[in-house]
Amino acid sequence: MNKKLQVGILGATGTVGQRLIQLLENHPWFEVRELGASDHSIGQKYREACHWRVSGSMPKFVQELPLRNCQPPFGVDLIFSVLPSSIAGPTELSFARAGYPVVSNSKNHRMAEDVPLLVPEINPNHLELIPVQQKKRGFGSGFVITNPNCTTIALILVLAPLDKVFGLQQVSVVTMQALSGAGYPGVPSLDIIDNVLPYIEGEEEKVELEPLKILGKYQSGKIICSDFKISAQCHRVNVQEGHLEAVSVKFNQTPTKSQLIEVLANCQSVDLPSAPRKSVIYLESPDRPQPRLDRNLGSGMSVAVGRIRPCSVFDYKFELLGHNTIRGAAGAAVLNAELLYKKKLLMAQQKV
Ligand code: NAP
């Protein structure tokens, strides 16, 4: 049996960090070795510093690990970064400069032209940017890859297969986003009980830009972004987990409803340990998907889609739902790391 690669987590005590630890427990290829957090946690054991808020109990393997600062060196082969964007940018670059592959969940480097914004089912060839990035930034064996924003990834897993077959022309999306998307403690309870917040700072810009890069074509060391139009309106709602999105789409070649359903009902995922069997699950019932009922489909790694119907302004409209801290964050990062491993892009694999 191959020796597992050692991994470190920056931001291990947070909402996404806890999910990451849960998903990496008993992982076939990775073993969590080092944990980083902020100054007020440093020196404490994980169980002392972390208020565990994920379902189930804190995994035993992590309880006694000490928390340390988020500066290299770490005694690991791979870094997961789930840091707040206020510090993620320079911290991730310092690890890449020190020779570590960095799998980032933060927004800072997503749109950088030499950084892959990766979704294994959609654009694995964007990993060709890694040598471009290493050369441009003088990184040696280190590099940064990123996963999309939690709203974008659910949307793009549905849009990508449709774009491939029918061609996207215009997309409008109205989101109803869960509270856990704002980290902990997030939105004050008095702001969100009996209420909907019609503004999430920076979110609409991310949802309008990131899909164009993800669906872009890799060509001569660059991504040529796709050029269909997206309009996003984002809202925070009183739901714990699961982002619901109401989507309207105009295509280059308008499909019939059954053609549309056939494409969405046949979205296979990829052959990686954390991948669901299907990246998209089509639900026929007219009142689905719903966050409470459908967010854990495919262990939180599948996107649910339903209510497909003609639209009097665009061609079709439908609802989709993604688990924001699993497929939208920690699970997406683990899947990206698994793709790096499978493609033997982690230097440490040569030693294993
Ligand atoms: P969070 O719950 O606020 O956790 C932040 C983590 O970073 C904690 O471990 C915290 O450690 C640590 N940290 C804070 N300031 C630090 C500093 N100056 N130096 C070192 N460590 C520091 O945040 P989150 O919701 O997990 O989000 C993490 C990242 O993922 C963010 O960039 C966010 O935008 C992104 N993201 C989140 C979601 C989601 O659904 N929540 C989805 C997609 C992407 P302490 O415990 O010591 O304070």
Side-chain angles (χ1 to χ4, degrees), residues 10-17 36-41 49 70 82-88 105-108 110 147-150 180-184 206 243 324-325 328-329:
L10 312 178
T13 50
T15 307
V16 182
S38 76
D39 287 350
H40 73 84
S41 303
C70 292
V82 290
L83 288 169
S85 56
S86 53
I87 54 152
N105 183 60
S106 306
K107 69 176 182 184
N108 306 62
R110 284 184 193 142
N147 55 257
N149 164 276
C150 45
S180 57
Y184 189 86
K206 289 181 219 165
H243 291 352
N324 54 296
T325 59

Side-chain angles (χ1 to χ4, degrees), residues 201-237:
E201 192 188 345
E203 192 78 354
E204 291 171 357
E205 293 81 351
K206 289 181 219 165
V207 179
E208 290 179 359
L209 281 177
E210 290 178 12
L212 304 180
K213 179 172 177 186
I214 296 164
L215 291 185
K217 294 207 176 356
Y218 176 83
Q219 211 176 299
S220 315
K222 282 195 175 120
I223 304 297
I224 313 297
C225 287
S226 191
D227 62 358
F228 64 95
K229 298 267 180 289
I230 310 184
S231 170
Q233 299 182 77
C234 297
H235 307 82
R236 188 73 72 194
V237 298

Side-chain angles (χ1 to χ4, degrees), residues 128-197:
E128 291 184 50
L129 283 176
I130 289 175
V132 177
Q133 181 190 134
Q134 288 171 322
K135 188 167 174 213
K136 182 174 157 196
R137 302 189 190 226
F139 275 170
S141 61
F143 57 85
V144 178
I145 66 162
T146 58
N147 55 257
N149 164 276
C150 45
T151 309
T152 303
I153 195 159
L155 178 66
I156 204 66
L157 279 166
V158 172
L159 291 184
L162 298 178
D163 186 46
K164 205 169 175 182
V165 184
F166 311 117
L168 296 171
Q169 206 179 96
Q170 292 178 351
V171 175
S172 164
V173 55
V174 177
T175 73
M176 288 142 272
Q177 300 184 214
L179 291 169
S180 57
Y184 189 86
V187 183
S189 57
L190 286 178
D191 286 349
I192 197 70
I193 293 171
D194 186 31
N195 207 9
V196 170
L197 299 175

